[in-house]
Amino acid sequence: MPAATSRAVPPPNMSFTLHGLGVSGGIAIGRATLMSHATLEVAHLTISPRMVDKEVERLEKALSQVRDELKAVKGQAGNAPAELTAFIDLHVSFLSDPELSEMPKKIIRERRCNAEWALVQQMEHLVEQFEKFEDLYLRERKYDVVQVVERVVKELLGHPGRGGLRKGVTEELQIVVAHDLSPADTINFKEQRFASFVTDVGGATSHTAILARSMAIPAIVGLSNARALIRDQELLIVDGQRGVVIVNPDERVLEEYRLRKEQLEIERNKLKRLKTAKSQTLDGAEVSLLANIELPNDLAAVLESGANGIGLFRTEFLFLGRGDMPSEDEQFEAYRKVVKGMEGRPVIIRTFDLGGDKAIDQKRTQINPALGRRAIRLSLSEPKMFQKQLRAMLRASKYGNLKILIPMLAHAHEVEQTLNAIDHAKASLRAEQIKFNEAIEVGAMIEIPAAALAVNMFLRRLDFLSIGTNDLIQYSLAIDRMDEEVANLYDPLHPAILMLLAHVIVSAEKVHAPVSVCGEIAGDPEMTRLLLGMGLHRFSMHSSQILEIKSRVMKADINELAPQVRRMLRLDDPTKLREALEKLNAS
Ligand code: PEP
Ligand code: MG
């Protein structure tokens, strides 16, 4: 391998400000934790001196594990072409090369960092060296370095020793600075208590942004080159409301933000008094405020918020960030915990919405993943995996008020096939004499424009609806919710979106079918009065938003709002619509 040269230590930096898209409000003050290479985003953790030997040992173990794995792959390769086995040999030899087997250990010792990060630092250095070769063949070997390191990082991340690492992490608040974060990365960080996320790419309703909101931490996406400009451990202020990151703030600015942070906390504490208040409008309409969750551990925050139930459990997060699939029993335990914890209040569990940006296999590349085989399409094409989930949900249904929600429906035949799959799961449980709620309700997510327009097709077959405005807006306006370059076109107030929303709500009302909105607009206080005026009585959002939305509901009078909203719906001029919304919120 090319000879390693020592890397320059970044000089102390001046103060500067970066602007992006604030996707989760609040203020965080802390130190930057840089995430490495875009495809190999790993946390940079500072470990205590006594953990250093353990960390080196962990790396050694992972290297030898991957070496054995590769040898086994070669052993099983059978008649594979000679070039393939030659590459496996090359990868094995890389693993034994001191550049990968020794240098990262040196980095761990010198910088007191975690093995994953040390390895990725060394990988980036080697990639730079390979890029200098004139010879194309040698230059391209950088991909082999990346591949082999990726294998070791995966091994490290799945290693049980990882839990011990967190004990050594520095006490100061850490702010993640990354080029991009996949939902799987984010879910791995969920337990690590970072104070904030900032990323170069991503849109307001990217799943990373949603997760930041679910953790109630400030987050900013679309900063373009924060990852390149910010240095590790620099002091940062993240203002999630304004979408601003201040790097190396001076004492005056820092003081100002500390005060604002305190102020926000005072306001948040005031809202806490509403926890047990009834969610009711001034004219007496009861409005159900439900919570969106990703994992059973979110339950504590849901209970703390006083939510009336769970309106969306995104079960795909049980599948992400791990090397295997959760078994039926593991899923059952997760669903039972949530259902029992909610003590009879409704718990709407969505069948997995995998695919798109939430691919289990990150390498699976589709031409257009958001339009590809995701959500119910994937479930129906993987009947075994789907049966496991349905059986787990049905088994958990006897512990409370569980309802099943189906994502991304567009066709009547998808509903028929799903109902058949549910019947099949029920029959198998009956045969095993396992009890479940025979009358379990099944609902449709309305998040494809075709489903919104032809909503009666779903109302005839199913028990309830939940409008997924994040995807509904993405598909109606043809803007990728992950792409910050079109994030400015993402507009819940677009007349077409308002028409679709009103059509679905009114259609459901006509047949007395419950309908909720579970996309991000349900937790946006600016949208509360508009949605109430449209006739919406069920809102599902992250727990952190519930009390604020409740305060809006309690000040609203639907009798007054409804005629104003009806007039608004006749407008098709964006400026007039915006003005009308301001007026509605001020009334
Ligand atoms: C939506 O699309 O609005 C929704 C709630 O689902 P997700 O954000 O998980 O796609
Ligand atoms: Mg969706």
Side-chain angles (χ1 to χ4, degrees), residues 205 207 210 292 294 312 314 316-317 350 353 357-358 374 407-408 445-447 466-472 475 481 490 517-520:
T205 55
H207 286 95
I210 291 175
N292 291 353
E294 278 82 36
L312 173 67
R314 292 183 163 100
E316 58 276 12
F317 284 89
R350 176 170 80 180
D353 183 3
D357 63 326
K358 293 177 287 192
R374 56 172 284 205
M408 293 280 295
M445 277 204 77
I446 302 297
E447 46 188 349
S466 187
I467 312 176
T469 45
N470 304 336
D471 278 317
L472 187 62
Y475 297 126
R481 58 195 271 200
Y490 191 92
V517 168
C518 63
E520 293 302 293

PDB file of all heavy atoms in Angstrom, residues 205 207 210 292 294 312 314 316-317 350 353 357-358 374 407-408 445-447 466-472 475 481 490 517-520, ligand 1:
ATOM      1  N   THR A 205     -38.679  16.752   5.184  1.00  0.00           N
ATOM      2  CA  THR A 205     -39.390  15.550   5.614  1.00  0.00           C
ATOM      3  C   THR A 205     -38.575  14.298   5.321  1.00  0.00           C
ATOM      4  O   THR A 205     -39.116  13.221   5.216  1.00  0.00           O
ATOM      5  CB  THR A 205     -40.779  15.433   4.969  1.00  0.00           C
ATOM      6  OG1 THR A 205     -40.600  15.502   3.564  1.00  0.00           O
ATOM      7  CG2 THR A 205     -41.712  16.521   5.439  1.00  0.00           C
ATOM      8  N   HIS A 207     -36.343  11.236   6.366  1.00  0.00           N
ATOM      9  CA  HIS A 207     -36.535  10.487   7.605  1.00  0.00           C
ATOM     10  C   HIS A 207     -35.542  10.885   8.685  1.00  0.00           C
ATOM     11  O   HIS A 207     -35.821  10.769   9.873  1.00  0.00           O
ATOM     12  CB  HIS A 207     -36.537   8.989   7.329  1.00  0.00           C
ATOM     13  CG  HIS A 207     -37.812   8.562   6.678  1.00  0.00           C
ATOM     14  ND1 HIS A 207     -37.948   8.436   5.324  1.00  0.00           N
ATOM     15  CD2 HIS A 207     -39.042   8.343   7.202  1.00  0.00           C
ATOM     16  CE1 HIS A 207     -39.198   8.118   5.037  1.00  0.00           C
ATOM     17  NE2 HIS A 207     -39.880   8.049   6.160  1.00  0.00           N
ATOM     18  N   ILE A 210     -37.140  13.708  10.392  1.00  0.00           N
ATOM     19  CA  ILE A 210     -38.250  13.217  11.210  1.00  0.00           C
ATOM     20  C   ILE A 210     -37.711  12.612  12.503  1.00  0.00           C
ATOM     21  O   ILE A 210     -38.239  12.846  13.590  1.00  0.00           O
ATOM     22  CB  ILE A 210     -39.080  12.191  10.410  1.00  0.00           C
ATOM     23  CG1 ILE A 210     -39.825  12.916   9.287  1.00  0.00           C
ATOM     24  CG2 ILE A 210     -40.062  11.447  11.320  1.00  0.00           C
ATOM     25  CD1 ILE A 210     -40.591  12.011   8.356  1.00  0.00           C
ATOM     26  N   ASN A 292     -46.619   9.844  16.952  1.00  0.00           N
ATOM     27  CA  ASN A 292     -45.887   9.012  15.992  1.00  0.00           C
ATOM     28  C   ASN A 292     -44.663   8.466  16.711  1.00  0.00           C
ATOM     29  O   ASN A 292     -43.952   9.222  17.371  1.00  0.00           O
ATOM     30  CB  ASN A 292     -45.369   9.850  14.813  1.00  0.00           C
ATOM     31  CG  ASN A 292     -46.482  10.353  13.915  1.00  0.00           C
ATOM     32  OD1 ASN A 292     -47.636   9.990  14.085  1.00  0.00           O
ATOM     33  ND2 ASN A 292     -46.124  11.182  12.961  1.00  0.00           N
ATOM     34  N   GLU A 294     -41.145   5.547  16.519  1.00  0.00           N
ATOM     35  CA  GLU A 294     -40.298   4.692  15.687  1.00  0.00           C
ATOM     36  C   GLU A 294     -39.905   3.405  16.403  1.00  0.00           C
ATOM     37  O   GLU A 294     -39.736   2.375  15.772  1.00  0.00           O
ATOM     38  CB  GLU A 294     -39.022   5.432  15.275  1.00  0.00           C
ATOM     39  CG  GLU A 294     -39.193   6.355  14.079  1.00  0.00           C
ATOM     40  CD  GLU A 294     -39.782   7.695  14.460  1.00  0.00           C
ATOM     41  OE1 GLU A 294     -39.447   8.179  15.553  1.00  0.00           O
ATOM     42  OE2 GLU A 294     -40.598   8.251  13.696  1.00  0.00           O
ATOM     43  N   LEU A 312     -49.256   6.412  14.724  1.00  0.00           N
ATOM     44  CA  LEU A 312     -48.362   5.828  13.715  1.00  0.00           C
ATOM     45  C   LEU A 312     -47.130   5.250  14.397  1.00  0.00           C
ATOM     46  O   LEU A 312     -46.346   5.981  15.004  1.00  0.00           O
ATOM     47  CB  LEU A 312     -47.915   6.909  12.703  1.00  0.00           C
ATOM     48  CG  LEU A 312     -46.852   6.487  11.685  1.00  0.00           C
ATOM     49  CD1 LEU A 312     -47.397   5.442  10.720  1.00  0.00           C
ATOM     50  CD2 LEU A 312     -46.348   7.701  10.882  1.00  0.00           C
ATOM     51  N   ARG A 314     -43.940   3.500  13.233  1.00  0.00           N
ATOM     52  CA  ARG A 314     -43.195   3.185  11.998  1.00  0.00           C
ATOM     53  C   ARG A 314     -42.341   1.938  12.232  1.00  0.00           C
ATOM     54  O   ARG A 314     -41.151   2.026  12.525  1.00  0.00           O
ATOM     55  CB  ARG A 314     -42.287   4.356  11.616  1.00  0.00           C
ATOM     56  CG  ARG A 314     -43.000   5.614  11.164  1.00  0.00           C
ATOM     57  CD  ARG A 314     -41.973   6.670  10.753  1.00  0.00           C
ATOM     58  NE  ARG A 314     -42.536   7.726   9.954  1.00  0.00           N
ATOM     59  CZ  ARG A 314     -42.884   8.925  10.442  1.00  0.00           C
ATOM     60  NH1 ARG A 314     -42.731   9.201  11.722  1.00  0.00           N
ATOM     61  NH2 ARG A 314     -43.374   9.839   9.636  1.00  0.00           N
ATOM     62  N   GLU A 316     -40.816  -0.152  10.536  1.00  0.00           N
ATOM     63  CA  GLU A 316     -39.620  -0.462   9.752  1.00  0.00           C
ATOM     64  C   GLU A 316     -38.341  -0.163  10.526  1.00  0.00           C
ATOM     65  O   GLU A 316     -37.282  -0.730  10.247  1.00  0.00           O
ATOM     66  CB  GLU A 316     -39.617   0.280   8.415  1.00  0.00           C
ATOM     67  CG  GLU A 316     -39.702   1.794   8.468  1.00  0.00           C
ATOM     68  CD  GLU A 316     -41.131   2.305   8.592  1.00  0.00           C
ATOM     69  OE1 GLU A 316     -42.034   1.493   8.868  1.00  0.00           O
ATOM     70  OE2 GLU A 316     -41.354   3.510   8.433  1.00  0.00           O
ATOM     71  N   PHE A 317     -38.439   0.719  11.538  1.00  0.00           N
ATOM     72  CA  PHE A 317     -37.242   1.045  12.295  1.00  0.00           C
ATOM     73  C   PHE A 317     -36.763  -0.123  13.159  1.00  0.00           C
ATOM     74  O   PHE A 317     -35.632  -0.139  13.610  1.00  0.00           O
ATOM     75  CB  PHE A 317     -37.442   2.332  13.107  1.00  0.00           C
ATOM     76  CG  PHE A 317     -37.360   3.538  12.217  1.00  0.00           C
ATOM     77  CD1 PHE A 317     -38.490   4.040  11.596  1.00  0.00           C
ATOM     78  CD2 PHE A 317     -36.145   4.123  11.929  1.00  0.00           C
ATOM     79  CE1 PHE A 317     -38.419   5.109  10.722  1.00  0.00           C
ATOM     80  CE2 PHE A 317     -36.049   5.194  11.059  1.00  0.00           C
ATOM     81  CZ  PHE A 317     -37.195   5.696  10.455  1.00  0.00           C
ATOM     82  N   ARG A 350     -48.191   0.517  11.843  1.00  0.00           N
ATOM     83  CA  ARG A 350     -48.078   0.438  10.381  1.00  0.00           C
ATOM     84  C   ARG A 350     -47.192  -0.750  10.005  1.00  0.00           C
ATOM     85  O   ARG A 350     -46.150  -0.967  10.620  1.00  0.00           O
ATOM     86  CB  ARG A 350     -47.445   1.732   9.872  1.00  0.00           C
ATOM     87  CG  ARG A 350     -47.199   1.707   8.379  1.00  0.00           C
ATOM     88  CD  ARG A 350     -46.813   3.065   7.887  1.00  0.00           C
ATOM     89  NE  ARG A 350     -45.417   3.377   8.129  1.00  0.00           N
ATOM     90  CZ  ARG A 350     -44.847   4.526   7.777  1.00  0.00           C
ATOM     91  NH1 ARG A 350     -45.566   5.468   7.191  1.00  0.00           N
ATOM     92  NH2 ARG A 350     -43.586   4.756   8.017  1.00  0.00           N
ATOM     93  N   ASP A 353     -42.638  -0.061   6.288  1.00  0.00           N
ATOM     94  CA  ASP A 353     -42.514   0.800   5.103  1.00  0.00           C
ATOM     95  C   ASP A 353     -41.033   0.789   4.714  1.00  0.00           C
ATOM     96  O   ASP A 353     -40.354   1.809   4.788  1.00  0.00           O
ATOM     97  CB  ASP A 353     -43.004   2.206   5.455  1.00  0.00           C
ATOM     98  CG  ASP A 353     -42.981   3.163   4.264  1.00  0.00           C
ATOM     99  OD1 ASP A 353     -42.631   2.728   3.152  1.00  0.00           O
ATOM    100  OD2 ASP A 353     -43.306   4.342   4.457  1.00  0.00           O
ATOM    101  N   ASP A 357     -35.817   5.285   0.961  1.00  0.00           N
ATOM    102  CA  ASP A 357     -34.596   5.629   1.701  1.00  0.00           C
ATOM    103  C   ASP A 357     -34.400   4.742   2.913  1.00  0.00           C
ATOM    104  O   ASP A 357     -33.410   4.874   3.622  1.00  0.00           O
ATOM    105  CB  ASP A 357     -34.638   7.111   2.116  1.00  0.00           C
ATOM    106  CG  ASP A 357     -35.780   7.395   3.072  1.00  0.00           C
ATOM    107  OD1 ASP A 357     -36.840   6.760   2.941  1.00  0.00           O
ATOM    108  OD2 ASP A 357     -35.615   8.256   3.945  1.00  0.00           O
ATOM    109  N   LYS A 358     -35.343   3.815   3.150  1.00  0.00           N
ATOM    110  CA  LYS A 358     -35.203   2.944   4.313  1.00  0.00           C
ATOM    111  C   LYS A 358     -34.918   1.504   3.871  1.00  0.00           C
ATOM    112  O   LYS A 358     -35.547   0.571   4.336  1.00  0.00           O
ATOM    113  CB  LYS A 358     -36.451   3.022   5.183  1.00  0.00           C
ATOM    114  CG  LYS A 358     -36.612   4.386   5.828  1.00  0.00           C
ATOM    115  CD  LYS A 358     -37.878   4.513   6.651  1.00  0.00           C
ATOM    116  CE  LYS A 358     -39.100   4.613   5.809  1.00  0.00           C
ATOM    117  NZ  LYS A 358     -40.296   5.018   6.561  1.00  0.00           N
ATOM    118  N   ARG A 374     -41.428  -0.492  -2.550  1.00  0.00           N
ATOM    119  CA  ARG A 374     -41.303  -0.157  -1.132  1.00  0.00           C
ATOM    120  C   ARG A 374     -42.645  -0.408  -0.443  1.00  0.00           C
ATOM    121  O   ARG A 374     -43.653  -0.674  -1.077  1.00  0.00           O
ATOM    122  CB  ARG A 374     -40.837   1.293  -0.929  1.00  0.00           C
ATOM    123  CG  ARG A 374     -41.707   2.339  -1.583  1.00  0.00           C
ATOM    124  CD  ARG A 374     -41.299   3.747  -1.185  1.00  0.00           C
ATOM    125  NE  ARG A 374     -41.737   4.073   0.161  1.00  0.00           N
ATOM    126  CZ  ARG A 374     -41.947   5.322   0.586  1.00  0.00           C
ATOM    127  NH1 ARG A 374     -41.735   6.345  -0.224  1.00  0.00           N
ATOM    128  NH2 ARG A 374     -42.351   5.556   1.821  1.00  0.00           N
ATOM    129  N   PRO A 407     -49.179   0.987   4.545  1.00  0.00           N
ATOM    130  CA  PRO A 407     -48.584   2.135   3.849  1.00  0.00           C
ATOM    131  C   PRO A 407     -48.608   2.004   2.333  1.00  0.00           C
ATOM    132  O   PRO A 407     -48.560   0.893   1.795  1.00  0.00           O
ATOM    133  CB  PRO A 407     -47.133   2.113   4.350  1.00  0.00           C
ATOM    134  CG  PRO A 407     -46.853   0.671   4.628  1.00  0.00           C
ATOM    135  CD  PRO A 407     -48.158   0.047   5.030  1.00  0.00           C
ATOM    136  N   MET A 408     -48.655   3.154   1.649  1.00  0.00           N
ATOM    137  CA  MET A 408     -48.431   3.243   0.198  1.00  0.00           C
ATOM    138  C   MET A 408     -49.415   2.453  -0.654  1.00  0.00           C
ATOM    139  O   MET A 408     -49.046   1.916  -1.698  1.00  0.00           O
ATOM    140  CB  MET A 408     -47.021   2.735  -0.147  1.00  0.00           C
ATOM    141  CG  MET A 408     -45.908   3.581   0.373  1.00  0.00           C
ATOM    142  SD  MET A 408     -45.604   5.008  -0.650  1.00  0.00           S
ATOM    143  CE  MET A 408     -45.047   4.253  -2.143  1.00  0.00           C
ATOM    144  N   MET A 445     -53.078   3.984   4.582  1.00  0.00           N
ATOM    145  CA  MET A 445     -52.394   5.273   4.516  1.00  0.00           C
ATOM    146  C   MET A 445     -52.702   5.859   3.155  1.00  0.00           C
ATOM    147  O   MET A 445     -52.570   5.193   2.132  1.00  0.00           O
ATOM    148  CB  MET A 445     -50.886   5.093   4.653  1.00  0.00           C
ATOM    149  CG  MET A 445     -50.485   4.989   6.093  1.00  0.00           C
ATOM    150  SD  MET A 445     -48.778   5.450   6.368  1.00  0.00           S
ATOM    151  CE  MET A 445     -48.823   7.223   6.283  1.00  0.00           C
ATOM    152  N   ILE A 446     -53.113   7.116   3.167  1.00  0.00           N
ATOM    153  CA  ILE A 446     -53.371   7.795   1.903  1.00  0.00           C
ATOM    154  C   ILE A 446     -52.178   8.708   1.677  1.00  0.00           C
ATOM    155  O   ILE A 446     -52.045   9.763   2.303  1.00  0.00           O
ATOM    156  CB  ILE A 446     -54.704   8.586   1.966  1.00  0.00           C
ATOM    157  CG1 ILE A 446     -55.869   7.634   2.303  1.00  0.00           C
ATOM    158  CG2 ILE A 446     -54.965   9.332   0.664  1.00  0.00           C
ATOM    159  CD1 ILE A 446     -56.145   6.542   1.288  1.00  0.00           C
ATOM    160  N   GLU A 447     -51.296   8.269   0.823  1.00  0.00           N
ATOM    161  CA  GLU A 447     -50.073   9.049   0.598  1.00  0.00           C
ATOM    162  C   GLU A 447     -49.654   9.057  -0.863  1.00  0.00           C
ATOM    163  O   GLU A 447     -48.633   9.615  -1.230  1.00  0.00           O
ATOM    164  CB  GLU A 447     -48.924   8.565   1.498  1.00  0.00           C
ATOM    165  CG  GLU A 447     -48.733   7.079   1.563  1.00  0.00           C
ATOM    166  CD  GLU A 447     -47.701   6.656   2.611  1.00  0.00           C
ATOM    167  OE1 GLU A 447     -46.976   7.498   3.152  1.00  0.00           O
ATOM    168  OE2 GLU A 447     -47.626   5.449   2.869  1.00  0.00           O
ATOM    169  N   SER A 466     -55.442   7.159   7.232  1.00  0.00           N
ATOM    170  CA  SER A 466     -54.458   8.052   7.811  1.00  0.00           C
ATOM    171  C   SER A 466     -53.719   8.712   6.648  1.00  0.00           C
ATOM    172  O   SER A 466     -53.193   8.012   5.774  1.00  0.00           O
ATOM    173  CB  SER A 466     -53.500   7.242   8.694  1.00  0.00           C
ATOM    174  OG  SER A 466     -52.654   8.112   9.367  1.00  0.00           O
ATOM    175  N   ILE A 467     -53.731  10.037   6.625  1.00  0.00           N
ATOM    176  CA  ILE A 467     -53.140  10.727   5.466  1.00  0.00           C
ATOM    177  C   ILE A 467     -51.660  10.994   5.734  1.00  0.00           C
ATOM    178  O   ILE A 467     -51.303  11.696   6.691  1.00  0.00           O
ATOM    179  CB  ILE A 467     -53.864  12.061   5.166  1.00  0.00           C
ATOM    180  CG1 ILE A 467     -55.390  11.848   5.162  1.00  0.00           C
ATOM    181  CG2 ILE A 467     -53.397  12.634   3.828  1.00  0.00           C
ATOM    182  CD1 ILE A 467     -56.195  13.137   4.975  1.00  0.00           C
ATOM    183  N   GLY A 468     -50.823  10.414   4.899  1.00  0.00           N
ATOM    184  CA  GLY A 468     -49.364  10.606   5.026  1.00  0.00           C
ATOM    185  C   GLY A 468     -48.962  11.766   4.137  1.00  0.00           C
ATOM    186  O   GLY A 468     -48.602  11.596   2.973  1.00  0.00           O
ATOM    187  N   THR A 469     -49.014  12.960   4.712  1.00  0.00           N
ATOM    188  CA  THR A 469     -48.780  14.138   3.856  1.00  0.00           C
ATOM    189  C   THR A 469     -47.331  14.256   3.386  1.00  0.00           C
ATOM    190  O   THR A 469     -47.068  14.902   2.377  1.00  0.00           O
ATOM    191  CB  THR A 469     -49.191  15.433   4.596  1.00  0.00           C
ATOM    192  OG1 THR A 469     -48.679  15.362   5.918  1.00  0.00           O
ATOM    193  CG2 THR A 469     -50.685  15.573   4.629  1.00  0.00           C
ATOM    194  N   ASN A 470     -46.400  13.629   4.117  1.00  0.00           N
ATOM    195  CA  ASN A 470     -45.001  13.745   3.675  1.00  0.00           C
ATOM    196  C   ASN A 470     -44.847  13.163   2.278  1.00  0.00           C
ATOM    197  O   ASN A 470     -44.266  13.772   1.385  1.00  0.00           O
ATOM    198  CB  ASN A 470     -44.059  12.991   4.624  1.00  0.00           C
ATOM    199  CG  ASN A 470     -44.202  13.442   6.053  1.00  0.00           C
ATOM    200  OD1 ASN A 470     -44.638  14.550   6.299  1.00  0.00           O
ATOM    201  ND2 ASN A 470     -43.859  12.582   6.994  1.00  0.00           N
ATOM    202  N   ASP A 471     -45.375  11.950   2.108  1.00  0.00           N
ATOM    203  CA  ASP A 471     -45.283  11.332   0.786  1.00  0.00           C
ATOM    204  C   ASP A 471     -46.312  11.915  -0.174  1.00  0.00           C
ATOM    205  O   ASP A 471     -46.034  12.070  -1.363  1.00  0.00           O
ATOM    206  CB  ASP A 471     -45.455   9.814   0.899  1.00  0.00           C
ATOM    207  CG  ASP A 471     -44.150   9.147   1.296  1.00  0.00           C
ATOM    208  OD1 ASP A 471     -43.107   9.533   0.748  1.00  0.00           O
ATOM    209  OD2 ASP A 471     -44.170   8.252   2.161  1.00  0.00           O
ATOM    210  N   LEU A 472     -47.482  12.239   0.350  1.00  0.00           N
ATOM    211  CA  LEU A 472     -48.515  12.793  -0.548  1.00  0.00           C
ATOM    212  C   LEU A 472     -47.990  14.065  -1.237  1.00  0.00           C
ATOM    213  O   LEU A 472     -48.189  14.270  -2.437  1.00  0.00           O
ATOM    214  CB  LEU A 472     -49.791  13.101   0.237  1.00  0.00           C
ATOM    215  CG  LEU A 472     -50.992  13.526  -0.593  1.00  0.00           C
ATOM    216  CD1 LEU A 472     -51.426  12.438  -1.561  1.00  0.00           C
ATOM    217  CD2 LEU A 472     -52.175  13.908   0.296  1.00  0.00           C
ATOM    218  N   TYR A 475     -45.146  13.077  -3.811  1.00  0.00           N
ATOM    219  CA  TYR A 475     -45.605  12.514  -5.078  1.00  0.00           C
ATOM    220  C   TYR A 475     -46.466  13.501  -5.876  1.00  0.00           C
ATOM    221  O   TYR A 475     -46.392  13.526  -7.098  1.00  0.00           O
ATOM    222  CB  TYR A 475     -46.394  11.218  -4.842  1.00  0.00           C
ATOM    223  CG  TYR A 475     -45.549  10.124  -4.224  1.00  0.00           C
ATOM    224  CD1 TYR A 475     -45.933   9.479  -3.055  1.00  0.00           C
ATOM    225  CD2 TYR A 475     -44.349   9.743  -4.814  1.00  0.00           C
ATOM    226  CE1 TYR A 475     -45.152   8.483  -2.486  1.00  0.00           C
ATOM    227  CE2 TYR A 475     -43.553   8.752  -4.251  1.00  0.00           C
ATOM    228  CZ  TYR A 475     -43.960   8.123  -3.090  1.00  0.00           C
ATOM    229  OH  TYR A 475     -43.184   7.154  -2.537  1.00  0.00           O
ATOM    230  N   ARG A 481     -38.366  14.099  -1.338  1.00  0.00           N
ATOM    231  CA  ARG A 481     -38.313  14.675   0.017  1.00  0.00           C
ATOM    232  C   ARG A 481     -36.910  14.589   0.618  1.00  0.00           C
ATOM    233  O   ARG A 481     -36.622  15.191   1.642  1.00  0.00           O
ATOM    234  CB  ARG A 481     -39.365  14.018   0.935  1.00  0.00           C
ATOM    235  CG  ARG A 481     -39.221  12.520   1.066  1.00  0.00           C
ATOM    236  CD  ARG A 481     -40.471  11.892   1.671  1.00  0.00           C
ATOM    237  NE  ARG A 481     -40.431  11.825   3.116  1.00  0.00           N
ATOM    238  CZ  ARG A 481     -41.175  11.008   3.845  1.00  0.00           C
ATOM    239  NH1 ARG A 481     -42.063  10.211   3.260  1.00  0.00           N
ATOM    240  NH2 ARG A 481     -41.091  10.987   5.145  1.00  0.00           N
ATOM    241  N   TYR A 490     -41.131  22.218  -1.725  1.00  0.00           N
ATOM    242  CA  TYR A 490     -41.984  21.397  -0.867  1.00  0.00           C
ATOM    243  C   TYR A 490     -42.994  22.317  -0.178  1.00  0.00           C
ATOM    244  O   TYR A 490     -42.634  23.106   0.691  1.00  0.00           O
ATOM    245  CB  TYR A 490     -41.100  20.693   0.170  1.00  0.00           C
ATOM    246  CG  TYR A 490     -41.819  19.631   0.935  1.00  0.00           C
ATOM    247  CD1 TYR A 490     -41.812  18.316   0.496  1.00  0.00           C
ATOM    248  CD2 TYR A 490     -42.517  19.941   2.092  1.00  0.00           C
ATOM    249  CE1 TYR A 490     -42.479  17.338   1.196  1.00  0.00           C
ATOM    250  CE2 TYR A 490     -43.192  18.970   2.794  1.00  0.00           C
ATOM    251  CZ  TYR A 490     -43.161  17.673   2.338  1.00  0.00           C
ATOM    252  OH  TYR A 490     -43.827  16.701   3.029  1.00  0.00           O
ATOM    253  N   VAL A 517     -54.377  12.778  10.105  1.00  0.00           N
ATOM    254  CA  VAL A 517     -53.188  13.146   9.317  1.00  0.00           C
ATOM    255  C   VAL A 517     -51.999  12.754  10.175  1.00  0.00           C
ATOM    256  O   VAL A 517     -51.941  13.097  11.362  1.00  0.00           O
ATOM    257  CB  VAL A 517     -53.158  14.669   9.007  1.00  0.00           C
ATOM    258  CG1 VAL A 517     -51.790  15.062   8.468  1.00  0.00           C
ATOM    259  CG2 VAL A 517     -54.244  15.028   7.996  1.00  0.00           C
ATOM    260  N   CYS A 518     -51.068  11.981   9.593  1.00  0.00           N
ATOM    261  CA  CYS A 518     -49.900  11.575  10.387  1.00  0.00           C
ATOM    262  C   CYS A 518     -48.591  12.071   9.785  1.00  0.00           C
ATOM    263  O   CYS A 518     -47.518  11.741  10.260  1.00  0.00           O
ATOM    264  CB  CYS A 518     -49.859  10.059  10.569  1.00  0.00           C
ATOM    265  SG  CYS A 518     -49.666   9.168   9.022  1.00  0.00           S
ATOM    266  N   GLY A 519     -48.677  12.883   8.736  1.00  0.00           N
ATOM    267  CA  GLY A 519     -47.458  13.485   8.182  1.00  0.00           C
ATOM    268  C   GLY A 519     -47.015  14.648   9.061  1.00  0.00           C
ATOM    269  O   GLY A 519     -47.704  15.013  10.029  1.00  0.00           O
ATOM    270  N   GLU A 520     -45.901  15.242   8.717  1.00  0.00           N
ATOM    271  CA  GLU A 520     -45.303  16.282   9.563  1.00  0.00           C
ATOM    272  C   GLU A 520     -46.205  17.505   9.748  1.00  0.00           C
ATOM    273  O   GLU A 520     -46.084  18.203  10.747  1.00  0.00           O
ATOM    274  CB  GLU A 520     -43.952  16.705   8.992  1.00  0.00           C
ATOM    275  CG  GLU A 520     -42.910  15.606   9.063  1.00  0.00           C
ATOM    276  CD  GLU A 520     -42.668  15.104  10.467  1.00  0.00           C
ATOM    277  OE1 GLU A 520     -42.142  15.880  11.282  1.00  0.00           O
ATOM    278  OE2 GLU A 520     -42.996  13.941  10.752  1.00  0.00           O
TER     279      GLU A 520
HETATM  280  C1  PEP B   1     -45.984  10.271   5.436  1.00  0.00           C
HETATM  281  O1  PEP B   1     -45.600   9.902   4.323  1.00  0.00           O
HETATM  282  O2  PEP B   1     -46.551  11.353   5.647  1.00  0.00           O
HETATM  283  C2  PEP B   1     -45.779   9.410   6.623  1.00  0.00           C
HETATM  284  C3  PEP B   1     -46.307   9.714   7.779  1.00  0.00           C
HETATM  285  O3  PEP B   1     -44.982   8.322   6.488  1.00  0.00           O
HETATM  286  P1  PEP B   1     -43.383   8.390   6.395  1.00  0.00           P
HETATM  287  O4  PEP B   1     -42.966   9.777   6.764  1.00  0.00           O
HETATM  288  O5  PEP B   1     -42.856   7.358   7.311  1.00  0.00           O
HETATM  289  O6  PEP B   1     -43.151   8.070   4.947  1.00  0.00           O
END
